Amino acid sequence: MSAPGPIDHRDAIPAVRAVFDDIKRTRRVEDVNNFWKYLAHDPALLARTWASVKEVMAPGALDPLTKEMVYLAVSVTNGCGYCIASHTAAARKAGMSEAMFGELMAVVGMANETNRLANGYRVPIDPAFE
Amino acid sequence: MSAPGPIDHRDAIPAVRAVFDDIKRTRRVEDVNNFWKYLAHDPALLARTWASVKEVMAPGALDPLTKEMVYLAVSVTNGCGYCIASHTAAARKAGMSEAMFGELMAVVGMANETNRLANGYRVPIDPAFE
Amino acid sequence: MSAPGPIDHRDAIPAVRAVFDDIKRTRRVEDVNNFWKYLAHDPALLARTWASVKEVMAPGALDPLTKEMVYLAVSVTNGCGYCIASHTAAARKAGMSEAMFGELMAVVGMANETNRLANGYRVPIDPAFE
Amino acid sequence: MSAPGPIDHRDAIPAVRAVFDDIKRTRRVEDVNNFWKYLAHDPALLARTWASVKEVMAPGALDPLTKEMVYLAVSVTNGCGYCIASHTAAARKAGMSEAMFGELMAVVGMANETNRLANGYRVPIDPAFE
Amino acid sequence: MSAPGPIDHRDAIPAVRAVFDDIKRTRRVEDVNNFWKYLAHDPALLARTWASVKEVMAPGALDPLTKEMVYLAVSVTNGCGYCIASHTAAARKAGMSEAMFGELMAVVGMANETNRLANGYRVPIDPAFE
Amino acid sequence: MSAPGPIDHRDAIPAVRAVFDDIKRTRRVEDVNNFWKYLAHDPALLARTWASVKEVMAPGALDPLTKEMVYLAVSVTNGCGYCIASHTAAARKAGMSEAMFGELMAVVGMANETNRLANGYRVPIDPAFE
């Protein structure tokens, strides 16, 4: 009945190893973090999730740092402890300074506050925003 | 029992007018949007919220466009219809292109998905992220 | 494929009518609001929900106004449009003044903000709070 | 100021014991889990919650396994750590296989993602869905 | 500054048309619903999201009806209006009866309630659930 | 890469010490709790947040106990572990009895349940509530 643990590279089937290897190559890390070792229980989910993350987080119209900070903003809003820890680390690695982190949290806090003020005061959308 | 409506500049008390005028000056807009016209029912809340928003959204370690996109990411995560409409407009005004919007949504969607995968698989935080 | 509509008293089965009548008696209203007319599609759910609401919202260690304001605080946090509208009306009927509503929204907004600051800064629980 | 602990069967008042005994009988377990031992601080809440859970989770138009998986899906979406742990165990006991768990998480993750895409793109409801 | 509208098949670029055609074929529908017509503003997001949805919602260890009901449970928990409307329709098409819908809502409601009771009473996870 | 720890009074810059001292004076406590020691990493955020909390939580149209219980209701709904612990302690200090806590949790649970029933049944707002 206990929760299944992480699947390490040495215990993984080839399809999982291939994903792990691509994560390590793409991110230039020595090992994948726990998130991937747990998703490895479902190789199809692992492969699909990694393919999407890789595509979504690649540099494009938005740079990787901005994307990591947005990821962190969502995780903080949802209160996902694991995601907050891992994406804080990722955003720092991508260049987030202490000052940027402070301002990011200030915006996230403010948005969560004013979202509820708009809800509570039942503010109708301005025609200009339609 | 019906919901109170917006308070327009001409009907506002001086303390409210002063906030409205500062919003118009700071944002270079001809009128304030509905959010502020509803908060005007509580002049102390209006003044405090505007002072905080003005300070938080000013350029700093993060530029205004990044801040607006983070605001939008939070609003989309929370499902606040008014806030999505108003901050999409604000982010566009600050320079968000159609391509940036698309990537922003992709990151927000992905973060909301992987937040739940981390929850569901009960992934423990890696020592490196502590 | 379209959504089922409300079930009015005259079209309701006896078990539903009995609940409707008890709601009208308890709340001293001439008709039940839409929430109950929709739940009436599932008479067991209707009866169970009303029995729980009746018991939970009755005066006890907390007075009805406090309970209605808490109900509204939760609804605003969750962004449930129907619930915000109906519980704002209920709180007003129970005695919530305009000033009380303003302070309630201020607390709800502030709590939603600091909840995220605590998440984002990963603040550990003080031993005194354990 | 510290948090109240669990109330065990031997320390419980008769009304609480009666609920504990009914939970044990209904679920064929030797002891109730912590959730009930904490709710026992409020015997009325305990009794009402158990009565509702017992009725809602009984086999009906939906089988118990489906109900437990839906319960888990909600808990994962809300990020309730206790509920995820307890309802993962309950779903497994009701027959959820590892493959079913993986697909369940995939659906939950996808729904959380597309919910935000629909929010962000402000998609209007199709007439056919009204 | 106004929100972009839906992209119809006749106005779509070939890459978008190909996705639309696959959706119509897979679901045996005459036209795609609004969700896809809005995502079409970002062809990469559209293609990736459809590929994932198609894979995740296909019959597997869980049948399509169960998957649709789980999707609906998440959407109701998050309060996504569009998603509730579209996945209620999809679940009905997959065989959800009125009785099944009623029980589904009852479980979703109960789970959202007990999630908060577990939070509020700060219930520690039972060793058996670890 | 590890998370920054708390900043204690003796290690704080004067601007932070001034806020800490005002918190201690206002609340008549010997030390500030962890929340403030972590926000101290961003002195502007610390000062702004404390100024707002001090103003919002002061007695007004609502008494401090009611405000603390609303704060707790929001924190429980959001599942913020730190906030639940700290505001349960604060509400108790402000006079919340065990019976009041039990009823508060019952209302919070019920509101979270009926919020989703209103969502799922897509209940339209009654004209009287508009």
Side-chain angles (χ1 to χ4, degrees), chain B:
Chain B
M1 203 72 73
S2 69
I7 293 177
D8 281 313
H9 194 281
R10 67 174 172 279
D11 304 320
I13 63 172
V16 166
R17 280 193 183 182
V19 174
F20 282 9
D21 288 339
D22 192 44
I23 296 173
K24 292 196 282 185
R25 237 184 344 257
T26 305
R27 297 189 163 173
R28 292 173 200 177
V29 289
E30 289 190 18
D31 195 9
V32 303
N33 52 303
N34 278 339
F35 179 72
W36 306 108
K37 293 180 184 177
Y38 277 74
L39 287 203
H41 285 280
D42 183 339
L45 176 62
L46 173 74
R48 195 174 54 239
T49 304
W50 167 243
S52 292
V53 165
K54 190 182 177 181
E55 191 175 323
V56 167
M57 299 306 281
L62 298 178
D63 60 278
L65 171 56
T66 299
K67 288 183 174 184
E68 279 296 346
M69 290 192 299
V70 168
Y71 221 113
L72 180 54
V74 170
S75 303
V76 166
T77 297
N78 285 330
C80 173
Y82 181 81
C83 315
I84 293 168
S86 62
H87 287 280
T88 299
R92 286 206 173 119
K93 200 175 163 186
M96 180 179 70
S97 66
E98 202 59 29
M100 293 164 94
F101 173 74
E103 294 192 15
L104 179 64
M105 288 305 105
V107 176
V108 169
M110 185 61 47
N112 272 290
E113 177 175 24
T114 59
N115 278 198
R116 271 61 182 211
L117 294 177
N119 286 346
Y121 277 92
R122 303 168 62 188
V123 185
I125 298 180
D126 304 72
F129 299 154
E130 293 284 12

Side-chain angles (χ1 to χ4, degrees), chain A residues 44-59:
Chain A
L45 176 62
L46 174 74
R48 195 174 56 239
T49 304
W50 167 242
S52 291
V53 167
K54 189 181 177 181
E55 191 174 323
V56 167
M57 299 305 282

Side-chain angles (χ1 to χ4, degrees), chain C residues 1-3, chain D residues 124-130, chain E residues 33-34 82 85-87 89-90, chain F residues 122:
Chain C
M1 203 71 74
S2 69
Chain D
I125 298 180
D126 304 72
F129 300 154
E130 292 285 10
Chain E
N33 52 303
N34 278 340
Y82 182 81
S86 62
H87 287 280
Chain F
R122 303 168 62 188

